[in-house]
Amino acid sequence: LNVPRHCRTDTVPLETLNGDVNYALQSSTDTERLIKRYGDGYQMILKYINEDAALAEPITPSLPFTKAELLYAYWGEMAITLDDLLWRRTRIGWTPGQGLDIAPQIAQFLSERNNWDQARITAEVAAYREHIQWLNFYL
């Protein structure tokens, strides 16, 4: 229609507009980022943080992702492997360094929440590194 409009749902989820949810969204850059990235899935991430404040911690100072986002990617988005979580769900694999430096740390975190044994942690990290090596070979 060629009518310029401001997009209200750019930072406010649809259910907020009809009054069902009343979160203070504009006051938090992190909340805005979660909404833009996860849509209404951000509510589950905030629920994880409300249940355990430590989940609000970033996984590394160089990236904005929190531990709660990792859990959401694993449980809420059904990421089955470390590779799936880092490459497809969070897209950490697309960032500088491709998450290779933090893959063991993230695998350890996931193991604590999902009963992975040391063999699984080692296998997940190795599979991720192999995938990244393969991708970089063809780029």
Side-chain angles (χ1 to χ4, degrees), residues 99-116:
L100 291 170
D101 59 332
I102 59 174
Q105 169 188 338
I106 292 173
Q108 181 63 43
F109 172 74
L110 291 174
S111 76
E112 295 164 5
R113 302 289 178 145
N114 299 292
N115 299 317
W116 290 3

Side-chain angles (χ1 to χ4, degrees), residues 45-65:
I45 294 168
L46 293 180
K47 179 178 180 280
Y48 293 152
I49 292 170
N50 286 334
E51 292 171 357
D52 182 355
L55 295 177
E57 297 171 5
I59 57 173
T60 181
S62 61
L63 296 173
F65 303 101

Side-chain angles (χ1 to χ4, degrees), residues 68-82:
E69 287 175 82
L70 297 178
L71 290 182
Y72 179 74
Y74 193 81
W75 293 335
E77 294 183 341
M78 307 301 274
I80 303 299
T81 64
L82 179 66

Side-chain angles (χ1 to χ4, degrees), residues 30-54:
D30 291 334
T31 303
E32 287 180 28
R33 184 185 66 78
L34 291 177
I35 291 168
K36 285 181 180 180
R37 180 154 182 89
Y38 301 101
D40 65 358
Y42 87 97
Q43 294 176 52
M44 185 58 68
I45 294 168
L46 293 180
K47 179 178 180 280
Y48 293 152
I49 292 170
N50 286 334
E51 292 171 357
D52 182 355

Side-chain angles (χ1 to χ4, degrees), residues 117-137:
D117 60 13
Q118 189 58 46
R120 170 104 189 245
I121 295 169
T122 302
E124 293 286 340
V125 172
Y128 181 67
R129 288 184 177 173
E130 184 178 317
H131 181 219
I132 293 299
Q133 183 178 8
W134 178 83
L135 286 171
N136 289 335
F137 179 77

